[in-house]
Amino acid sequence: METQTNNNNIPQNEVDELREQLALFKQRLDQQEIISDRLMRRSMNARISIFTKTGVIADIVVLLIMPLVFWAFSKMGVSWYLTLILLLGVIIELAYNIICHRQIQRLFTEGNDLLAVRRGLLEFKKRERLQMLISLPLITLWALALCWQLGVFADNPTERVAAIGIRVGIGFFIGTLIVFCGYFWEMHRVNRSIREIDELSAE
């Protein structure tokens, strides 16, 4: 009985010391979680910023070459309405890209938690997929209309018209390939960030 009583009567200063050690340990854990969260945010932000900056550069390049494209269309005799459709499509595409890229950049600058960042990344994926499903068929139809207007599908097209049709086909193939490569490159980086958040949430 005396031994049990002595064990239960722990000095108050030792109890206080244990509490301080536990509080210090908890504080260090919280600091490590904060540091880990900040490092992950910085890593994801750098990863996402690469393709947003690349998108800005691509948009600038498109704007710079559009006058040359319109000049070439005028030389080939392309109708004004096909040129206007292309111009409107480019404007809509550029505005859409600017809005989407600004939204995804705000995920890392407005103090959102990682779950909110994950939801934002998933929404970005849906928007990009929808953009591909809408824009590619429309671009294909426009290219076919261009070839039809230039006489590529005529029974006996001239050598000049056939050469134009070949150049249009090559340009369409290269452009589509670039779009697909850019799309899958973006999705790879977004999916990697989502996996990192899922791994951290599972711990």
Side-chain angles (χ1 to χ4, degrees), residues 14-30:
E14 294 184 7
V15 174
D16 295 338
E17 185 178 352
L18 287 173
R19 288 176 179 174
E20 291 178 0
Q21 291 177 356
L22 287 174
L24 182 61
F25 179 71
K26 184 177 182 301
Q27 182 180 1
R28 288 178 178 176
L29 286 179
D30 293 339

Side-chain angles (χ1 to χ4, degrees), residues 134-182:
I134 294 176
S135 61
L136 283 180
L138 292 178
I139 293 172
T140 303
L141 290 175
W142 185 90
L144 292 174
L146 175 65
C147 291
W148 175 80
Q149 187 180 92
L150 295 176
V152 176
F153 300 132
D155 293 334
N156 295 310
T158 63
E159 292 184 0
R160 176 178 176 275
V161 171
I164 291 176
I166 292 174
R167 287 197 291 269
V168 171
I170 293 174
F172 178 78
F173 174 78
I174 294 175
T176 304
L177 182 63
I178 292 174
V179 169
F180 270 109
C181 290

Side-chain angles (χ1 to χ4, degrees), residues 1-186:
M1 292 295 294
E2 292 180 359
T3 304
Q4 185 176 359
T5 303
N6 291 334
N7 290 335
N8 291 333
N9 294 331
I10 301 175
Q12 186 64 33
N13 58 347
E14 294 184 7
V15 174
D16 295 338
E17 185 178 352
L18 287 173
R19 288 176 179 174
E20 291 178 0
Q21 291 177 356
L22 287 174
L24 182 61
F25 179 71
K26 184 177 182 301
Q27 182 180 1
R28 288 178 178 176
L29 286 179
D30 293 339
Q31 289 176 349
Q32 288 179 355
E33 290 179 359
I34 293 173
I35 293 173
S36 177
D37 181 88
R38 288 178 178 174
L39 290 176
M40 178 176 287
R41 286 174 183 274
R42 187 176 302 172
S43 175
M44 288 189 295
N45 189 20
R47 187 182 304 129
I48 300 299
S49 294
I50 290 177
F51 72 73
T52 56
K53 292 177 181 178
T54 303
V56 171
I57 295 174
D59 293 341
I60 293 174
V61 172
V62 169
L63 288 175
L64 291 176
I65 67 174
M66 286 311 297
L68 179 61
V69 172
F70 294 147
W71 175 82
F73 282 175
S74 65
K75 291 295 183 181
M76 290 188 297
V78 178
S79 61
W80 64 268
Y81 58 85
L82 276 182
T83 304
L84 180 61
I85 291 173
L86 178 62
L87 177 61
L88 291 176
V90 169
I91 293 174
I92 293 172
E93 182 78 11
L94 293 179
Y96 183 83
N97 288 338
I98 291 172
I99 293 172
C100 287
H101 288 166
R102 283 186 177 179
Q103 287 178 346
I104 197 171
Q105 286 178 335
R106 288 172 184 167
L107 290 175
F108 303 96
T109 58
E110 293 183 350
N112 297 312
D113 56 39
L114 290 179
L115 293 180
V117 172
R118 186 181 187 278
R119 287 194 298 270
L121 292 175
L122 290 174
E123 291 175 1
F124 177 79
K125 285 183 60 177
K126 292 179 181 179
R127 290 194 298 267
E128 290 294 292
R129 189 182 300 115
L130 180 62
Q131 180 188 20
M132 290 285 290
L133 293 175
I134 294 176
S135 61
L136 283 180
L138 292 178
I139 293 172
T140 303
L141 290 175
W142 185 90
L144 292 174
L146 175 65
C147 291
W148 175 80
Q149 187 180 92
L150 295 176
V152 176
F153 300 132
D155 293 334
N156 295 310
T158 63
E159 292 184 0
R160 176 178 176 275
V161 171
I164 291 176
I166 292 174
R167 287 197 291 269
V168 171
I170 293 174
F172 178 78
F173 174 78
I174 294 175
T176 304
L177 182 63
I178 292 174
V179 169
F180 270 109
C181 290
Y183 172 77
F184 288 114
W185 180 59
E186 282 186 355

